């Protein structure tokens, strides 16, 4: 008889992805020939710019396929240091820079290096699904601090203060945020910094991956830049995935205190080792090269954002805040809870709403349950304007067909 | 902003990680090179060959085709199919897509596999000498690495008795590596069958079989995997492999694993929260590598065998060396030089031997401590270019001659020898 495989204890708190059910259903319907519009993408719908691709081709031709230094080539670290200086006014030496296989891995390494069983990590909601699961894998404890749509998904400094305990290791900040697109202003970060200055044992992990996707002339700032006194306990994480549409290439990086960076390198050395040598060469070209194309992308994303927010707010029962950045909106479907579908099913949760939208109207969105703030859903507008118009129109129809909808939330 | 020197709060299991001996040697090598010394890196596990052009071409094509977005975490359907075909073709093993995972290098497969299998307190058995990276991976998962000391008379291959004695109720996993780093030993199908008989008595023990050197074989040695021994063995084996060594793709980072679907699923969960999919432009390169022509190996392998023989004919005159049946390392015993003085001081350990050798000759090899070796040994990699290897080997030979009290002749050796001057004042800055 085959030996049953029982996974290690670290998986006990890791929940199966709530988006998986929706994704599977979407794939099944597509396979059946149904016209499904997928709004779940976590990546831009543009191709990697040509100058970056050219750098990759050149690296291949030059035979740069050998091992590199574990946490990044000197050339890439130099480009990253220049970026931090140029764009964020932050100085990091090469031994304060870590390059990993995606920003996600950089965060994972930092968590693995520092979180012992029972350590607490503060995560504001709504959050990117990976943060609490990384903490769970390290057998730490995610501590959630709620935000609200009415407060534009900003964490309240008083709520942060209440959440800090002697066991708190990290606060994870993600601005602009996945899934809400909300971004903290300089003064809002300063207010959070005031709290953190009062608790010197708390480290800050600032996930800035959506830095370049900000709209309406929003001024992006990062906490180590805003409050230099926090520099010694902040890990500033970023990457090339979103800004340069290099999600598949897998290059992320961070700047932080040298002893932490060293430990992260040791951990990385025992898993993936160096990030793909070709991707590293491409990333140098991305960071050092002409950034002009970014303005065009941002303009397109802003137009799509404006369109989607306008159209969604026309749907009965949907209330969609205007986000400052990223390529997501996080509308509330609170007013639809308790309503009934034409088939007679009750919408009790945002999972139900997402399933209804997909099954009856062929639109795939990600339910808010996976992001820790319900009832809501995330739409990614990293797709064509036509698809977005079509999708929003279908959502409006779907909402109109529900009976017993409460009046729109204020 | 002054650079920070503050110490971050480290996790308990991470505090146990030690700096790898390989790292120390590598750093010293770089320092010597920066000083202008000619150095020879025989400590590296990387072939000098260039990635075959059909693979390079496929990667460039992938870039052009815009394969730059996320792929499924464990790899595309296409790359999984290529792996399934490889297992069928090369090993007579049959796997389904949900029993396959691709990662950023074979070490990443091992890391994900150990995290999926090992809970704190679990024991993981490793025949030593063995690659030290396994120990760090196990430590990071909170496991306990238990070495199984193998013996020179068995070519450092673990015997069924040694395995039987080592298994305890806490044993979760056995790590097998064949062809072996550092010994170059290759387990035959019969030998694996005998190990399997022991494992049949312990059905809760899983096997991690690191087969990365599968294609690097000499003389008439044939590759065998424990997963081939029986269906029972296959069901609880995580087969680990990749393209780094066989296809000279070390820097590109592509490895793969095959196992029970639930184990693969747990590994994918770890991967989902860490590195994500292997680089999207490399995966098509992997497909080209796996499906493509392997004729280039007919060029590489004889060259490597010649390299192997170079080491045996030179260094082998001074040190008892294992004749590698596979991989690209010569495992040499330096016991005769323990207690002997070099210009850098007395050699007490293989670490000393390696350090003194590096200082005096610029040649880097890895000391046996890096592999938990039960005997005083060093590992000499013969993956370097032949010219470099020849020069490095003659320097190692000279070093050995000096240790034996004989001043080496600058011209080509080995026939003319002079008696060592006991008042040699050419002390090096060791």
């Amino acid at each position: 008889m085959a030996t049953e495989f029982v996974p290690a204890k670290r998986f006990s708190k890791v929940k199966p992805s709530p988006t998986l059910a929706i994704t599977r259903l979407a794939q099944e319907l597509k396979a059946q020939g149904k016209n499904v519009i997928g709004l779940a993408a976590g990546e831009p719908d543009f191709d990697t710019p040509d100058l970056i691709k050219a750098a990759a081709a050149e690296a291949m031709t030059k035979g740069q396929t050998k091992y590199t230094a574990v946490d990044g080539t000197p050339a890439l670290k130099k480009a990253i240091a220049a970026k931090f200086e140029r764009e964020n006014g932050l100085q990091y030496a090469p031994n304060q820079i870590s390059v990993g296989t995606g920003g996600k891995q950089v965060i994972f390494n930092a968590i693995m290096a520092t979180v012992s069983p029972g350590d607490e990590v503060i995560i504001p909601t709504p959050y990117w699904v990976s943060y609490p699961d990384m903490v769970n894998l390290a057998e730490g404890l995610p501590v959630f601090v709620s935000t609200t749509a009415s407060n534009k998904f900003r964490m309240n400094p008083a709520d942060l203060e209440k959440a800090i305990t002697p066991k708190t290791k990290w606060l994870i900040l993600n601005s602009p945020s996945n899934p809400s697109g909300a971004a903290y202003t300089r003064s809002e970060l300063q207010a959070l910094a005031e709290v953190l200055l009062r608790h010197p044992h708390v480290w800050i992990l600032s996930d800035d991956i959506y830095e370049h996707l900000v709209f309406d002339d929003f001024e992006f700032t990062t906490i180590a830049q805003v409050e230099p006194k926090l520099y010694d306990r902040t890990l500033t994480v970023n990457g090339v995935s979103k800004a340069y549409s290099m999600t598949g290439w897998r290059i992320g990086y961070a700047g932080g205190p040298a002893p932490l960076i060293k430990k992260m390198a040791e951990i990385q050395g025992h898993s993936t080792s160096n990030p793909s040598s070709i991707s590293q060469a491409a990333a140098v070209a991305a960071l050092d090269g002409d950034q002009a194309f970014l303005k065009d992308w941002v303009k397109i994303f802003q137009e799509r954002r404006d369109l989607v927010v306008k159209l969604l707010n026309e749907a009965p029962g949907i209330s969609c805040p205007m986000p400052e950045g990223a390529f997501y909106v996080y509308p509330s479907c609170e007013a639809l809870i308790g309503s009934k579908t034409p088939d007679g099913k009750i919408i009790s949760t945002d999972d139900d709403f997402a399933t209804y939208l997909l099954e009856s109207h062929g639109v795939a969105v990600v339910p808010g349950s996976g992001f820790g703030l319900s009832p809501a859903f995330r739409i990614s507008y990293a797709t064509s304007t036509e698809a977005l118009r079509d999708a929003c129109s279908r959502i409006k129809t779907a909402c109109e067909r529900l009976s017993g909808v409460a009046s729109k939330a204020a | 902003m002054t650079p920070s020197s503050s110490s971050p709060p480290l996790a308990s299991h991470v505090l146990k990680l030690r700096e790898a001996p390989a790292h120390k040697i590598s750093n010293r090598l770089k320092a010597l090179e920066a000083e202008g010394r000619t150095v020879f890196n025989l400590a590296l596990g990387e072939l000098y060959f260039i990635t075959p052009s059909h693979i390079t071409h496929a990667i460039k094509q992938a870039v052009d085709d815009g394969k730059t977005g996320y792929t499924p975490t464990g790899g595309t359907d296409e790359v999984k199919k290529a792996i399934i075909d490889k297992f069928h073709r090369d090993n007579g093993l049959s796997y389904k897509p949900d029993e396959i995972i691709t990662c950023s290098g074979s070490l990443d497969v091992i890391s994900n596999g150990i995290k999926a299998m090992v809970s704190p307190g679990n024991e993981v058995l490793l025949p030593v000498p063995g690659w030290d990276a396994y120990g760090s991976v196990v430590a990071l998962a909170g496991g306990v690495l238990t070495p199984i000391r193998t013996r020179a008379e068995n070519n450092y291959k673990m015997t069924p008795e040694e395995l039987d004695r080592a298994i305890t109720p806490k044993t979760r996993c056995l790590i097998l590596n064949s062809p072996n780093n550092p010994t170059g030993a290759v387990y035959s199908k019969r030998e694996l069958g005998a190990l399997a008989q022991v494992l049949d008595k312990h059905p809760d023990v899983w096997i991690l079989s690191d087969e990365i050197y599968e294609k690097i074989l000499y003389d008439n040695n044939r590759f065998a995997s424990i997963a081939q021994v029986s269906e029972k063995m296959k069901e609880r084996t995580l087969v680990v492999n990749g393209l780094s060594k066989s296809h000279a793709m070390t820097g590109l980072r592509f490895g793969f694993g095959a196992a029970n679907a639930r184990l693969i699923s747990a590994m994918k969960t770890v991967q989902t929260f860490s590195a994500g999919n292997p680089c999207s432009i490399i995966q098509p390169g992997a497909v080209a590598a796996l499906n493509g022509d392997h004729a280039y190996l007919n060029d590489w392998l004889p060259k490597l065998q010649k390299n192997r023989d170079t080491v045996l004919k030179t260094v082998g005159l001074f040190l008892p060396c294992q004749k590698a049946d596979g991989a690209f390392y010569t495992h040499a015993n330096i016991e005769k030089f323990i207690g002997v003085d070099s210009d850098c001081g007395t050699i007490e350990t293989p670490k000393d031997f390696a350090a003194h050798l590096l200082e005096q000759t610029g040649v880097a090899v890895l000391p046996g401590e890096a592999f938990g070796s039960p005997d005083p040994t060093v590992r000499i990699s013969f993956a370097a270019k032949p010219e470099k290897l020849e020069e490095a080997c003659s320097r190692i030979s000279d070093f050995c001659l000096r240790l034996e009290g004989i001043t080496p002749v600058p011209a080509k050796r080995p026939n003319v020898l002079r008696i060592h001057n006991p008042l040699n004042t050419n002390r090096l800055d060791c």
Side-chain angles (χ1 to χ4, degrees):
Chain A
M1 195 179 94
T3 304
E4 180 79 3
F5 174 73
V6 179
K9 293 204 184 84
R10 62 182 48 82
F11 294 90
S12 58
K13 293 217 201 100
V14 177
K15 285 172 276 163
S17 167
T19 67
L20 218 55
I22 283 283
T23 314
R24 273 207 205 103
L25 186 54
Q27 280 167 351
E28 271 167 42
L29 291 171
K30 268 190 211 157
Q32 287 168 24
K34 298 261 167 68
N35 181 344
V36 174
I37 306 177
L39 300 178
E43 55 188 345
D45 56 321
F46 304 121
D47 195 3
T48 308
D50 285 337
L51 76 95
I52 298 169
K53 286 179 158 188
E58 195 186 331
M60 284 301 314
T61 303
K62 285 189 180 156
Q64 287 171 9
T65 61
K66 303 290 182 203
Y67 287 129
T68 78
V70 165
D71 67 350
T73 60
L76 182 49
K77 286 196 177 186
K78 186 161 181 268
I80 290 166
K83 173 259 182 270
F84 273 129
E85 166 84 72
R86 186 178 66 236
E87 298 182 350
N88 314 109
L90 290 170
Q91 268 105 46
Y92 290 112
N95 70 344
Q96 291 175 286
I97 293 173
S98 180
V99 186
T101 305
K104 188 158 61 170
Q105 196 205 19
V106 173
I107 298 170
F108 181 81
N109 290 340
I111 302 279
M112 288 305 289
T114 55
V115 173
S116 291
D119 284 348
E120 292 173 6
V121 176
I122 296 174
I123 300 169
T125 73
Y127 48 75
W128 181 43
V129 293
S130 292
Y131 300 137
D133 280 315
M134 283 182 197
V135 174
N136 283 327
L137 268 176
E139 297 180 77
L141 255 77
V143 171
F144 300 115
V145 173
S146 294
T147 68
T148 60
S150 53
N151 194 23
K152 307 206 81 191
F153 304 116
R154 308 292 207 272
M155 180 171 51
N156 204 306
D159 291 338
L160 170 59
E161 185 116 51
K162 274 200 294 254
I164 294 173
T165 77
K167 288 187 160 189
T168 307
K169 264 284 161 70
W170 291 95
L171 160 68
I172 298 181
L173 283 177
N174 174 221
S175 168
S177 152
N178 173 6
S180 69
Y184 291 93
T185 63
R186 183 186 280 269
S187 56
E188 284 161 347
L189 283 177
Q190 190 68 62
L192 294 177
E194 300 301 319
V195 173
L196 293 160
L197 285 170
R198 289 197 284 277
H199 300 275
H201 69 288
V202 177
W203 282 60
I204 303 104
L205 195 153
S206 183
D207 183 357
D208 297 349
I209 195 80
Y210 296 99
E211 168 184 4
H212 295 97
L213 300 175
V214 288
F215 314 119
D216 306 319
D217 295 320
F218 181 87
E219 188 213 3
F220 172 85
T221 51
T222 183
I223 201 162
Q225 169 192 26
V226 168
E227 181 47 77
K229 285 190 246 158
L230 290 176
Y231 174 87
D232 280 353
R233 46 183 167 110
T234 300
L235 186 70
T236 307
V237 181
N238 212 319
V240 295
S241 293
K242 317 291 181 183
Y244 303 94
S245 200
M246 290 174 73
T247 40
W249 297 73
R250 317 307 303 128
I251 295 287
Y253 55 87
L260 173 60
I261 297 294
K262 185 162 185 267
K263 268 301 166 209
M264 288 165 62
E266 278 173 34
I267 287 172
Q268 190 164 305
H270 297 302
S271 60
T272 55
S273 287
N274 59 269
S276 188
S277 51
I278 300 302
S279 298
Q280 289 191 63
V284 173
L287 293 168
D288 284 347
D290 189 3
Q291 311 282 304
F293 68 92
L294 263 174
K295 283 203 199 76
D296 297 332
W297 287 12
V298 168
K299 185 164 176 288
I300 293 170
F301 275 131
Q302 181 164 331
E303 283 165 2
R304 292 177 183 171
R305 176 200 67 165
D306 294 346
L307 177 70
V308 166
V309 170
K310 173 174 171 295
L311 292 177
L312 285 175
N313 278 320
E314 287 169 10
I318 302 290
S319 172
C320 188
M322 179 73 81
E324 288 83 18
F327 41 72
Y328 311 108
V329 290
Y330 201 66
S332 165
C333 55
E334 189 171 4
L336 301 176
I337 301 301
S339 65
K340 218 192 277 187
T341 73
D343 294 349
K345 291 202 194 106
I346 306 279
I347 306 282
S348 307
T349 62
D350 46 37
D351 293 289
D352 292 340
F353 180 63
T355 306
Y356 164 62
L357 268 186
L358 180 55
E359 278 178 342
S360 308
H361 298 271
V363 178
V365 303
V366 186
S369 58
F371 302 106
L373 193 70
S374 286
F377 56 99
R378 186 193 79 175
I379 282 180
S380 160
Y381 50 85
T383 186
S384 71
T385 310
E386 307 92 77
L388 290 170
R389 277 192 194 279
D390 189 356
C392 289
S393 161
R394 294 188 197 190
I395 292 172
K396 186 168 180 223
T397 307
C399 293
E400 282 163 354
R401 297 224 177 115
L402 293 169
S403 53
V405 174
S407 59
K408 222 186 244 273
Chain B
M1 192 52 52
T2 53
S4 168
S5 58
S6 56
S7 190
L10 294 176
S12 41
H13 54 275
V14 171
L15 287 166
K16 291 191 218 129
L17 278 182
R18 293 156 299 128
E19 192 194 25
H23 201 231
K24 227 175 161 194
I25 291 270
S26 168
N27 284 344
R28 186 62 193 145
L29 186 82
K30 284 197 193 109
L32 289 175
E33 198 172 22
E35 283 172 26
R37 293 274 302 272
T38 309
V39 295
F40 302 84
N41 195 345
L42 303 190
L44 208 54
E46 184 171 60
L47 290 170
Y48 72 94
F49 304 114
I50 310 165
T51 312
S53 57
H54 63 287
I55 299 168
T56 314
H57 179 80
I59 295 171
K60 283 186 184 168
Q61 192 64 53
V63 173
D64 281 342
D65 292 345
K67 294 197 171 153
T68 57
Y70 290 127
T71 78
T73 300
T76 59
D77 289 342
E78 206 192 3
V79 80
K80 284 190 185 180
K81 178 163 192 305
I83 291 164
I84 287 169
D85 289 345
K86 173 255 179 276
F87 276 121
H88 194 255
R89 189 178 59 234
D90 291 349
N91 315 107
L93 292 170
S94 200
Y95 289 103
K96 298 196 277 305
D98 65 355
E99 294 172 329
I100 303 288
I101 187 171
T102 65
C103 309
S104 303
S106 63
L107 178 55
D108 196 27
V109 180
I110 294 166
S111 173
N112 291 336
I114 293 292
K115 285 198 169 69
M117 283 192 271
V118 173
S119 295
N122 284 166
E123 272 177 8
V124 177
L125 300 176
L126 175 70
V128 291
W131 191 32
D132 70 334
Y134 302 128
S136 303
V137 171
V138 170
L140 278 172
V144 177
L145 190 82
T146 306
I148 299 177
R149 294 163 66 97
T150 62
R151 288 173 298 165
E153 57 260 38
N154 296 327
N155 210 18
Y156 294 108
K157 282 194 264 192
M158 176 177 61
T159 65
E161 297 74 36
E162 285 164 349
L163 174 58
D164 205 14
R165 275 200 300 270
I167 295 176
T168 77
K170 287 189 172 177
T171 306
R172 175 62 160 148
C173 179
L174 163 71
I175 297 176
L176 284 178
N177 173 223
S178 173
N180 187 270
N181 171 12
T183 68
V186 174
Y187 288 81
S188 68
K189 191 142 187 222
R190 197 181 44 78
E191 285 164 336
L192 291 171
L195 295 176
Q197 283 187 332
V198 174
L199 292 162
D200 281 341
K201 296 190 294 180
H202 304 277
D204 292 333
V205 175
W206 286 67
I207 301 108
L208 191 156
S209 179
D210 184 357
E211 304 180 357
I212 192 72
Y213 298 100
E214 171 184 4
K215 301 268 187 216
I216 316 291
L217 296 163
Y218 310 114
D219 306 313
N220 289 316
N221 280 282
R222 306 199 60 186
F223 175 77
S225 167
I226 196 161
Q228 292 169 310
V229 170
S230 67
E231 195 58 37
K232 272 186 294 177
M233 276 299 112
K234 176 173 174 275
E235 274 160 9
R236 48 189 173 108
T237 300
L238 167 61
V239 175
V240 178
N241 211 322
L243 303 176
S244 297
K245 318 293 183 182
S246 53
H247 298 74
M249 287 169 72
T250 37
L252 301 179
R253 316 310 301 131
F254 187 85
F256 54 92
N260 169 296
R262 289 188 71 190
L263 169 52
I264 293 292
S265 175
M267 289 169 69
K268 260 195 237 167
T269 300
V270 179
Q271 187 155 304
T272 299
F273 301 122
S274 53
N277 58 266
C279 186
S280 57
I281 57 157
I282 300 302
Q283 289 186 54
V287 172
L290 290 161
N291 291 342
D293 196 352
H294 285 79
Y296 65 89
L297 283 172
N298 295 332
D299 174 52
W300 291 12
L301 291 176
K303 285 181 174 150
L304 283 175
Q305 183 161 326
K306 196 150 179 282
N307 273 2
R308 177 194 72 171
D309 295 342
T310 297
V311 179
L312 294 174
K313 281 189 300 212
T314 56
V315 178
L317 292 177
F318 301 95
L319 301 172
C321 292
Q322 269 180 277
K323 186 179 177 196
D325 290 327
F328 37 75
Y329 310 109
T330 302
H331 194 227
N333 188 308
I334 58 115
E335 185 161 16
K336 68 197 274 196
F337 292 131
I338 301 288
V340 173
D341 285 344
S342 82
D343 287 343
C344 293
T346 311
I347 295 174
E348 312 274 20
T349 62
K351 266 190 192 160
D352 289 342
F353 181 92
H356 297 191
L357 176 72
L358 179 55
E359 289 308 313
Q360 293 183 38
T361 68
V363 179
V365 301
L366 282 187
E369 290 92 331
F371 304 95
S373 181
D375 296 325
T377 56
V378 295
R379 185 196 81 172
I380 303 165
S381 164
F382 54 83
K385 285 198 179 128
E387 319 82 68
K388 277 281 221 181
L389 182 69
E390 277 161 24
E391 176 59 35
C393 284
S394 88
R395 289 185 183 214
I396 298 175
S397 305
D398 288 351
F399 178 73
C400 293
L401 275 170
R402 285 197 292 271
L403 290 177
E404 286 184 353
I406 300 158
T407 306
V409 176
K412 289 272 179 218
R413 71 210 83 278
N415 299 316
V416 181
L417 303 169
R418 281 206 304 267
I419 302 302
H420 169 62
N421 177 355
L423 296 173
N424 187 337
T425 51
N426 289 337
R427 299 215 65 90
L428 285 153
D429 184 18
C430 300

